[in-house]
Amino acid sequence: MILFLLILFWKHDEVPAREILWPREGLYHGLYQRVVLVFGIAPMLSFFNWWDAYLSSALYSGLRNTAVVYVTDALKNRLPKEIVQHVYPSNKPGTGILILREWSMSELNAGIYPEPRIYKNLARYICTYAQDPSEVKLWIKQSNVLFAADRQVSYDCPALTASPEGRSDSRPTVR
């Protein structure tokens, strides 16, 4: 699309491109700069995991964060039936895997927004049903960013429910 704009308006000298993208005066002077910042520069921050990938037009790129929540069988028995139907047996005895994507599709008819803060909030909700902090374990696989390798981070309930200042006895495990 951008290429077509260049082809259409390549030889128009009445209004230079600089005046369209960065006007020096007029009613919308400050608005243009903000729009260029948000839609032009901010998506580049997603390469450093400082901006959401979906807001950076990465919806169909295949590079996204994924997560699963491991729950014990005891916790599974306390979860609402709407959640339990998305808990599958794992290869570790006494543990099930809650597939967040499936849970989201059944509840909202939409895929989950693949950002760590969303996964953490869902795991916090699951933690409200836990009697023991070790009954829940969230694993997030964060997509590679530029030249960095993928990484996996795990959280248990104490790490998820840390105080707003970030102080907690339990820290996430990074691999």
Side-chain angles (χ1 to χ4, degrees):
M1 291 298 243
I2 299 298
L3 182 62
F4 288 125
L5 287 174
L6 291 174
I7 291 169
L8 286 172
F9 299 106
W10 182 255
K11 301 248 179 190
H12 287 270
D13 296 330
E14 298 90 35
V15 182
R18 177 182 166 87
E19 207 44 50
I20 293 171
L21 292 174
W22 211 262
R24 284 177 257 166
E25 56 191 49
L27 180 63
Y28 300 110
H29 172 65
L31 177 66
Y32 285 139
Q33 283 84 358
R34 290 184 194 103
V35 168
V36 167
L37 179 70
V38 170
F39 291 102
I41 297 170
M44 287 187 266
L45 298 175
S46 71
F47 292 123
F48 307 100
N49 270 339
W50 296 338
W51 185 264
D52 288 355
Y54 274 20
L55 298 178
S56 304
S57 303
L59 177 60
Y60 299 109
S61 71
L63 298 173
R64 58 179 166 255
N65 301 313
T66 57
V68 292
V69 177
Y70 289 91
V71 296
T72 62
D73 289 341
L75 175 60
K76 179 182 173 183
N77 296 333
R78 291 191 300 273
L79 290 173
K81 66 179 172 65
E82 294 83 13
I83 300 173
V84 170
Q85 66 188 7
H86 305 291
V87 178
Y88 298 94
S90 73
N91 55 3
K92 185 178 176 187
T95 305
I97 301 173
L98 172 60
I99 308 295
L100 298 175
R101 180 181 44 82
E102 288 186 15
W103 182 22
S104 174
M105 289 300 287
S106 72
E107 291 290 323
L108 305 172
N109 287 330
I112 191 166
Y113 193 77
E115 292 297 327
R117 70 178 180 280
I118 305 300
Y119 298 138
K120 290 176 188 177
N121 282 335
L122 289 172
R124 275 187 207 104
Y125 176 72
I126 300 299
C127 283
T128 62
Y129 292 97
Q131 293 174 349
D132 180 19
S134 65
E135 290 183 319
V136 178
K137 188 75 133 183
L138 169 68
W139 278 95
I140 301 175
K141 180 183 172 248
Q142 294 180 323
S143 302
N144 60 350
V145 192
L146 284 182
F147 304 110
D150 290 352
R151 70 181 198 149
Q152 287 189 355
V153 183
S154 78
Y155 298 88
D156 55 5
C157 287
L160 289 166
T161 56
S163 67
E165 295 83 29
R167 295 188 196 114
S168 172
D169 295 336
S170 179
R171 291 283 178 217
T173 306
V174 178
R175 278 195 191 169

